[in-house]
């Protein structure tokens, strides 16, 4: 049997203004800081269980170092390493706990140009009593500050590289399942929503030939419990004088959304709620045609496609 990925883990983000990014993610979005080590800040939402789902550090510009995923079993990390190397892909092995909270890991490039990391072993740090939830099945107190999303949900990445190779790698090497996809007028798949969980997507990959660099991040996403949380988020963002797009509802995924930019890194964050889950073992991917793209992007509400904000992506 092939090794398997269990879930999306974390995103390593570099920012050109660490102070602004920490204010944005901690005070506005409402993430909790697990720890800070050697200038790197490790954050997670109140319902995230592993050490962190976002790391932030100072750099000369905003960009993504890598995106981490947890495997289903400890042995799958090295099994993926062998599988990738057999396919001619250069793999970097990361010593256990070199990244705080993350055990032995591997990093490698995708055909899209993005860097993924795979690991299994994690730590679940104890939370200080004044921040800890009384619920044994929850990490932090909910609604302690800011928008306060429950958990890390997905990433949306863009690439100008060959689409067939990129989707084939995600599906046939890493084991992601195509859930919904957009077919261009030329017959190529130009956007795919893919997952290893019952979510419609743990990762979305969009092909755009005119990007400034081959691999980009369109957004990272945190999950809120319901639509009222999205409306509350809009109020909070307005109070902080932050420009945003939404609320609206996607046709693809059927989820409610709101998009806002981190003023420090230029990274777009989506607040996400609703949608549907996939439990059918024989699920057939849903095909959308390019003429249907507006409906797929925006079922109703404020559309990101009409905004200048949509053109901004960061290097990944």
């Amino acid at each position: 049997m092939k090794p398997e990925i269990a879930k999306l883990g974390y995103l390593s983000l570099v920012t050109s203004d660490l102070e602004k990014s920490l204010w944005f993610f901690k005070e506005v979005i409402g993430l909790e800081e697990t720890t800070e080590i050697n200038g790197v800040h490790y954050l997670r939402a109140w319902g995230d269980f592993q050490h962190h789902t976002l790391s932030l550090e100072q750099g000369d510009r905003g960009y993504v170092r890598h995106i981490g995923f947890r495997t289903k079993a400890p042995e799958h990390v090295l099994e993926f390493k062998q599988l990738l190397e057999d396919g001619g892909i250069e793999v970097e092995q990361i010593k256990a706990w070199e990244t705080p909270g993350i055990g032995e890991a591997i990093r490698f490039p995708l055909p899209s140009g993005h860097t993924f990391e795979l690991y299994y072993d994690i730590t679940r740090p104890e939370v200080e009593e004044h921040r800890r939830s009384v619920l044994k099945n929850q990490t932090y107190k909910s609604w302690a500050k800011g928008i306060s999303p429950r958990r890390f949900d997905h990433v949306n990445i863009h690439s100008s590289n060959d689409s067939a190779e990129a989707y084939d790698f995600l599906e046939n090497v890493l084991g992601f399942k195509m859930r919904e996809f957009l077919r261009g007028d030329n017959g190529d798949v130009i956007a795919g929503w893919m997952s290893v969980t019952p979510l419609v997507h743990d990762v979305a990959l969009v092909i755009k030939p005119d990007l400034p660099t081959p691999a980009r991040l369109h957004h990272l996403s945190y999950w809120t419990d319901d639509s009222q949380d999205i409306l509350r988020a809009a109020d909070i963002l307005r109070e902080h004088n932050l420009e945003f797009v939404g609320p609206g509802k996607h046709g693809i995924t059927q989820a409610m959304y709101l998009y806002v930019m981190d003023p420090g890194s230029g990274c777009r964050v989506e607040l996400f709620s609703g949608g549907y889950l996939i439990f059918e073992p024989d699920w057939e991917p849903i095909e959308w045609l390019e003429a249907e793209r507006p409906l797929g992007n925006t079922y109703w509400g404020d559309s990101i496609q009409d905004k200048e904000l949509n053109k901004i992506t960061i290097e990944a």
Side-chain angles (χ1 to χ4, degrees):
M1 291 181 64
K2 283 186 177 182
E4 296 180 272
I5 295 173
K7 63 183 289 288
L8 175 64
Y10 76 101
L11 185 140
S12 175
L13 181 63
V14 179
T15 174
S16 60
D17 192 326
L18 182 60
E19 184 178 352
K20 281 185 180 178
S21 290
L22 286 172
W23 167 79
F24 173 77
F25 280 106
K26 291 173 65 176
E27 304 306 322
V28 180
I29 300 299
L31 302 186
E32 298 283 354
E33 185 166 336
T34 307
T35 188
E36 179 271 323
I37 299 174
N38 298 325
V40 183
H41 297 256
Y42 299 92
L43 312 176
R44 55 183 171 169
W46 57 262
D48 286 326
F49 293 102
Q50 71 175 50
H51 183 272
H52 61 278
T53 52
L54 177 69
S55 67
L56 281 172
E57 60 185 290
Q58 180 67 49
D60 62 346
R61 67 193 191 284
Y63 66 94
V64 175
R65 286 196 184 278
H66 55 266
I67 302 167
F69 291 83
R70 195 176 183 203
T71 62
K72 284 193 174 181
E75 62 271 19
H76 288 185
V77 176
L78 294 183
E79 288 177 9
F80 266 118
K81 179 176 183 291
Q82 187 65 55
L83 179 67
L84 292 163
E85 289 177 337
D86 288 347
I89 297 169
E90 187 175 344
V91 178
E92 179 186 4
Q93 195 158 354
I94 310 299
K95 293 180 181 178
W97 320 119
E98 185 173 305
T99 300
I102 305 294
E104 184 179 31
I106 60 170
R107 290 181 195 154
F108 54 92
L110 275 66
S112 64
H114 300 84
T115 299
F116 275 13
E117 177 183 272
L118 301 181
Y119 59 90
Y120 176 80
D121 291 320
I122 60 170
T123 60
R124 296 180 176 87
E126 284 293 317
V127 176
E128 301 96 317
E129 187 174 353
H130 73 280
R131 294 199 292 166
R132 187 187 311 147
S133 173
V134 298
L135 293 171
K136 292 184 177 182
N137 54 9
Q138 184 171 307
T139 311
Y140 296 92
K141 296 175 181 177
S142 54
W143 310 115
K145 57 182 178 177
I147 293 167
S148 196
R150 177 183 287 268
R151 59 170 175 79
F152 192 29
D153 191 82
H154 67 266
V155 291
N156 182 303
I157 57 178
H158 287 192
S159 178
S160 60
N161 290 343
D162 178 75
S163 62
E165 186 180 0
Y167 292 117
D168 179 74
F169 184 86
L170 283 168
E171 202 160 7
N172 295 314
V173 178
L174 298 185
F176 286 84
K177 296 177 181 178
M178 185 69 79
R179 303 303 198 173
E180 302 197 47
F181 67 96
L182 177 65
R183 191 177 298 281
D185 291 338
N186 64 358
D188 292 341
V189 175
I190 56 175
W193 288 257
M194 309 179 76
S195 70
V196 291
T197 67
L199 298 176
V200 177
H201 64 320
D202 300 302
V203 59
L205 173 61
V206 179
I207 303 299
K208 288 193 171 183
D210 56 350
L211 295 173
T213 57
R216 311 291 292 183
L217 174 77
H218 186 269
H219 66 262
L220 62 89
S221 178
Y222 278 90
W223 170 268
T224 66
D225 281 352
D226 57 40
S227 58
Q228 186 60 44
D229 297 334
I230 299 294
L231 299 179
R232 177 178 173 272
D235 284 350
I236 291 170
L237 294 176
R238 178 58 65 206
E239 290 289 351
H240 287 91
N241 199 31
L242 289 167
E243 180 184 358
F244 60 88
V245 174
K249 182 174 180 177
H250 293 304
I252 296 169
T253 76
Q254 298 186 28
M256 281 192 68
Y257 62 80
L258 188 152
Y259 294 93
V260 60
M261 307 294 292
D262 164 27
S265 67
C267 175
R268 181 185 291 101
V269 176
E270 180 184 29
L271 287 311
F272 199 73
S273 189
Y276 67 95
L277 299 174
I278 298 170
F279 298 107
E280 306 308 318
D282 57 350
W283 179 265
E284 291 293 332
I286 305 297
E287 180 181 24
W288 295 75
L289 301 179
E290 194 156 357
E292 300 170 310
R293 189 170 195 168
L295 177 62
N297 285 332
T298 308
Y299 181 45
W300 54 257
D302 196 12
S303 172
I304 194 170
Q305 294 302 122
D306 302 329
K307 306 289 183 177
E308 190 68 23
L309 185 67
N310 185 50
K311 300 177 183 178
I312 304 170
T313 59
I314 64 170
E315 187 179 350

